[in-house]
Amino acid sequence: MAEQAVDTDGEPAASRKRQSPPAMPASPSSGHPPAAAPRAASGTPPGQRAPSATPAPDTVPGPARAREAREPQPAAARTPAQDGGVWSGATRAVLFAAAAAVGQGFAGRRRELLSLRADIDRAGLDTLAGRKAARSRVLLIAGRPGWGRTALAEELARRLADDYPDGMLSARLMTSAGDPVPTERTSRDLLGRLGVTAPPGADEDELSDTLRDTLDGKRVLLLLDDVAGAEQVDALLPDEPGCLVVAVSRGPLTGVPDVRPCTVGGLDVSAAVGLLAQYAGPTRITCDPVAAQSLVEECAGQPAALVLVGGWLAARPQASVADVVARLRELPPSAGEGDQGARPLARAFRLAYAALPPPAARMLRLLSLAPAGSADAHTASALAGCSVEDGEAALEGFAGYGMLRPREAGQYQVPGCLDPLLRELLRTVERPAEAELARARMLERTVRRLHACRLVTEPAGSPARKKLAEMPKWLRFPSSSAAADWLEARLPVLLEAARLAVETGELDTLARRLVAALTHALTAHRGAEGAAPELYGLHQLVLDVARRRDLPVERAAALLNLGDLDGRAGRVDQALDRYKGALEAARAAGDPYTTGRALESIGATYQELEDWHRAADWYGRALEPLLSRRDLPAGARLYARLATVHGYAGQWGEALRDWRAAAAACRRADDLPGYARALGGTARAQEQTGRPREALRTWAEAAAAARGCGDARLHAELSLHAADAMDRLGGDPAVARSLRRAAERIGAEDTGTSPRGNEGSRAHLRNQ
């Protein structure tokens, strides 16, 4: 049912002006305040039902309603009910008014920062033994999620930025679901940010070695967050002593030599009270310092818990610090509070979550479905089935509450410490069908955005651009460069969305559409070669779905694409295995086109391996069905390939027959360039079979055909070959000189160089 769901357009009900306060609360897992400021969000009164995935029917006609939606209404003419959204009017006003007074700055951790700085310069085991350091120094920040370990690592990296002029690289080594990220994926991502394109399909060891070679001689700070085990760090550890690795993990990294650990606990009382003051304001803290200290003790000094409690206070200016202490103590114990280390955050989250309006609480639960925990207005809008503007306002409100961490413009991150709590709420509160429907809406919205991203690259006035103009304005991109920037910025999240959609296995139709849309968008903006590393992984996802759903045609197509990429990367044996698997799947499906392509690809692989007899055999098998279907262009191509391998094998009689057949097929197909090339191959075969007069005549015909096809480069190439043949075979010297002058003149006009320097063209002629 959910697989057939359509995307909710989410057209904004009206243009709303929202006042942006200068700052906003800190992120939940640190004490680090975000850089972006929230804007006042429109709201739905508490108790009102969450927005439905299907808009309610309206009595106003469609075009009139659309015009009314685009025309801004005066503020006095709009009621709270017209505003919609997920926040009530009262909550919206106090939340963002309080957020405007929040200060900025890193909270506490002075002792930890000094210790980490000292560990950088401290002598290691190699230095004490009189040896030069073999690898980079590793600093470990250990602690539970929510205790500020990531914020401490980021603050340390910020303070060390001047010491590492080649920049900082960061990677998260654990997914939002708690699974370790494969090292191959992390290495490829880091190489991409270093400007190095790794070969598609390269394995983990090759990518790790490439990363180490790239970092050799550089001074780079590598921040590895959410490390699951020592093997992840060891695989990424640079061999350059000038680099520094800062790893964030729950526990020790046994197996990494000479690691310098720093265990993170709760904030000291003064830093924790200062963090609360950023939210509640200094007046409430000053009026009741004893209650403030009690609140810090209740939260065990945990930054994430303090941020959530501070967000609750920020939205309630009338509440005192003693009130929130009393509310925390009144909370009944829950099943997840048996672990004393997780208890402060769990209780603070329960308090903050219970205060949310029902629509906001539902959207927050659904944000745990966001791929890689990263959400923007479109993601929130699609998950909750509301407008894009209301989705944006909701994200800003959650950031104001301290429940989301703002990233770059318009992007928000679900903190890792809150993700398990949200997933548990989604499992226990939301019906599975509703969660699946929300995921389907999100995937559908992503597919439409990718379609718009691809269509904007088409020429103006083309049918594709006309189709783009018919899409809603909030889905379109202003320019091709803007679409490319969005694609590159969101690419890790898009790839993660495709992986999750395939791994889940519940929405395979949408997963296939998403992979196809992402493949087309990447190819349109990067080209086939530039997108090859990402396309390799996407074709593997298609193969996984095809095997699970028993789709032989798609399995064959995915294997063919993977085989092509393997062949280009030099993995010829692996490419041959994939082509043979594709042939088996294509024959099972009875698809003649895919079968022919697989047969031809196998022949080309044997040709690459210089096994001429097997190559000719497979080319012959591919040729038979083409002749039965009278596919002249494809038949001409196969005849030329057969002639090429026969020539390599020294079977010039067979090569001459195939070149003549290729020339005849090109002539019937009205392919003048192909006809000229086939004549050139025929003349070469005639020379080798001892027919010089026929060869001279055929070379002249080839040069004349090339002159009439309009391809200047081909004309110059064949004219030069014909002139050389005239000299070898005793032809008319005047004709040879005329052909050579014409070749050199055309070559100079076309490329600025003599055609003799174009060795690639000569090889191209042999392989037709």
Side-chain angles (χ1 to χ4, degrees), residues 183-185 187-188 191 197-210 532-533 536-537 540 565-566 569 571 574 578:
T183 302
E184 174 268 332
R185 193 187 308 171
S187 300
R188 188 178 296 279
L191 285 170
T197 301
D203 59 18
E204 175 182 318
D205 293 337
E206 182 180 354
L207 290 170
S208 297
D209 292 341
T210 304
Y536 195 92
Q540 286 181 318
L565 293 172
D566 283 329
R571 297 185 294 271
Q574 187 172 343
R578 293 195 187 275

Side-chain angles (χ1 to χ4, degrees), residues 478-519:
S479 64
S480 179
S481 60
D485 292 342
W486 173 83
L487 181 63
E488 293 299 329
R490 298 288 291 171
L491 185 57
V493 177
L494 294 170
L495 292 173
E496 182 67 14
R499 283 190 289 264
L500 289 175
V502 171
E503 290 173 4
T504 303
E506 298 173 352
L507 302 170
D508 278 342
T509 299
L510 275 172
R512 290 155 57 199
R513 291 179 56 207
L514 175 60
V515 171
L518 184 52
T519 299

Side-chain angles (χ1 to χ4, degrees), residues 387-525:
S387 72
V388 176
E389 188 175 76
D390 284 335
E392 181 183 10
L395 294 177
E396 292 169 345
F398 292 138
Y401 263 118
M403 294 176 170
L404 292 182
R405 182 183 303 164
R407 290 304 189 188
E408 56 270 12
Q411 306 297 324
Y412 296 85
Q413 183 73 33
V414 178
C417 60
L418 297 186
D419 192 80
L421 301 175
L422 293 177
R423 289 180 181 274
E424 179 63 19
L425 280 172
L426 182 70
R427 186 184 66 84
T428 57
V429 177
E430 208 74 27
R431 290 183 298 175
E434 289 295 326
E436 185 175 338
L437 181 61
R439 186 182 289 111
R441 286 196 303 264
M442 178 184 64
L443 294 178
E444 180 69 28
R445 177 71 59 85
T446 306
V447 169
R448 297 183 68 188
R449 290 279 282 172
L450 287 169
H451 281 323
C453 183
R454 177 183 62 85
L455 294 176
V456 76
T457 63
E458 299 293 332
S462 63
R465 292 300 289 267
K466 293 178 181 177
K467 182 179 179 181
L468 177 64
E470 296 173 357
M471 299 179 74
K473 184 177 180 180
W474 46 268
L475 274 178
R476 302 196 301 262
F477 295 93
S479 64
S480 179
S481 60
D485 292 342
W486 173 83
L487 181 63
E488 293 299 329
R490 298 288 291 171
L491 185 57
V493 177
L494 294 170
L495 292 173
E496 182 67 14
R499 283 190 289 264
L500 289 175
V502 171
E503 290 173 4
T504 303
E506 298 173 352
L507 302 170
D508 278 342
T509 299
L510 275 172
R512 290 155 57 199
R513 291 179 56 207
L514 175 60
V515 171
L518 184 52
T519 299
H520 295 153
L522 281 169
T523 305
H525 285 279

Side-chain angles (χ1 to χ4, degrees), residues 154-243:
E154 292 174 348
E155 178 66 14
L156 177 65
R158 186 187 66 80
R159 299 189 182 192
L160 295 175
D162 294 339
D163 297 335
Y164 296 89
D166 293 315
M168 185 194 79
L169 298 174
S170 62
R172 188 179 181 188
L173 304 188
M174 190 179 294
T175 66
S176 55
D179 301 320
V181 176
T183 302
E184 174 268 332
R185 193 187 308 171
T186 305
S187 300
R188 188 178 296 279
D189 180 59
L190 293 175
L191 285 170
R193 280 184 273 169
L194 288 167
V196 178
T197 301
D203 59 18
E204 175 182 318
D205 293 337
E206 182 180 354
L207 290 170
S208 297
D209 292 341
T210 304
L211 179 62
R212 291 191 181 95
D213 293 341
T214 305
L215 293 176
D216 188 32
K218 297 182 181 295
R219 290 186 60 84
V220 172
L221 194 154
L222 188 60
L223 198 162
L224 304 178
D225 195 9
D226 278 341
V227 175
E231 64 280 358
Q232 289 181 304
V233 177
D234 187 67
L236 300 172
L237 190 58
D239 291 333
E240 172 57 52
C243 294

Side-chain angles (χ1 to χ4, degrees), residues 179-393:
D179 301 320
V181 176
T183 302
E184 174 268 332
R185 193 187 308 171
T186 305
S187 300
R188 188 178 296 279
D189 180 59
L190 293 175
L191 285 170
R193 280 184 273 169
L194 288 167
V196 178
T197 301
D203 59 18
E204 175 182 318
D205 293 337
E206 182 180 354
L207 290 170
S208 297
D209 292 341
T210 304
L211 179 62
R212 291 191 181 95
D213 293 341
T214 305
L215 293 176
D216 188 32
K218 297 182 181 295
R219 290 186 60 84
V220 172
L221 194 154
L222 188 60
L223 198 162
L224 304 178
D225 195 9
D226 278 341
V227 175
E231 64 280 358
Q232 289 181 304
V233 177
D234 187 67
L236 300 172
L237 190 58
D239 291 333
E240 172 57 52
C243 294
L244 175 68
V245 175
V246 179
V248 176
S249 177
R250 291 180 64 99
L253 297 179
T254 305
V256 178
D258 202 19
V259 63
R260 301 302 175 94
C262 174
T263 303
V264 174
L267 292 173
D268 58 72
V269 175
S270 60
V273 170
L275 181 60
L276 283 173
Q278 293 182 23
Y279 291 85
T283 303
R284 279 189 278 188
I285 301 298
T286 305
C287 290
D288 198 347
V290 175
Q293 291 191 21
S294 299
L295 181 56
V296 170
E297 293 174 0
E298 195 70 27
C299 295
Q302 185 177 14
L306 291 168
V307 166
L308 292 175
V309 172
W312 188 91
L313 283 170
R316 292 161 181 79
Q318 293 82 14
S320 66
V321 179
D323 292 335
V324 73
V325 173
R327 284 178 176 266
L328 281 174
R329 291 173 176 171
E330 291 171 359
L331 286 175
S334 64
E337 294 181 9
D339 186 353
Q340 292 298 318
R343 184 174 182 273
L345 178 61
R347 294 174 66 83
F349 177 75
R350 288 171 57 195
L351 176 69
Y353 176 80
L356 293 176
R362 178 175 181 269
M363 180 182 287
L364 185 63
R365 293 193 300 269
L366 293 174
L367 284 179
S368 62
L369 298 175
S374 178
D376 60 3
H378 282 276
T379 303
S381 166
L383 285 171
C386 63
S387 72
V388 176
E389 188 175 76
D390 284 335
E392 181 183 10

Side-chain angles (χ1 to χ4, degrees), residues 551-702:
L551 304 171
V553 175
E554 292 195 8
R555 184 167 76 252
L559 286 170
L560 286 172
N561 291 327
L562 289 170
D564 291 343
L565 293 172
D566 283 329
R568 292 174 195 166
R571 297 185 294 271
V572 183
D573 293 336
Q574 187 172 343
L576 186 60
D577 291 338
R578 293 195 187 275
Y579 290 143
K580 290 182 177 179
L583 176 61
E584 181 182 352
R587 283 175 171 170
D591 185 353
Y593 171 77
T594 310
T595 301
R597 187 186 162 196
L599 290 168
E600 186 175 354
S601 298
I602 294 173
T605 306
Y606 279 119
Q607 180 179 345
E608 184 72 19
L609 294 171
E610 299 185 1
D611 189 341
W612 314 123
H613 297 288
R614 287 187 179 179
D617 178 49
W618 286 99
Y619 282 148
R621 298 185 194 185
L623 181 61
E624 293 176 5
L626 295 177
L627 296 179
S628 64
R629 297 200 307 268
R630 298 189 178 185
D631 189 344
L632 292 177
R637 184 183 67 251
L638 261 298
Y639 271 125
R641 288 195 159 195
L642 267 172
T644 300
V645 295
H646 280 143
Y648 284 143
Q651 300 172 346
W652 288 105
E654 298 290 333
L656 178 59
R657 185 192 64 186
D658 292 331
W659 279 123
R660 284 173 171 168
C666 289
R667 186 172 60 247
R668 289 196 299 269
D670 200 23
D671 179 7
L672 295 182
Y675 177 62
R677 292 190 183 96
L679 286 177
T682 303
R684 175 66 173 160
Q686 288 170 338
E687 285 188 52
Q688 296 295 324
T689 54
R691 305 177 186 182
R693 291 187 180 180
E694 294 181 17
L696 286 173
R697 184 172 61 250
T698 307
W699 275 120
E701 292 176 3

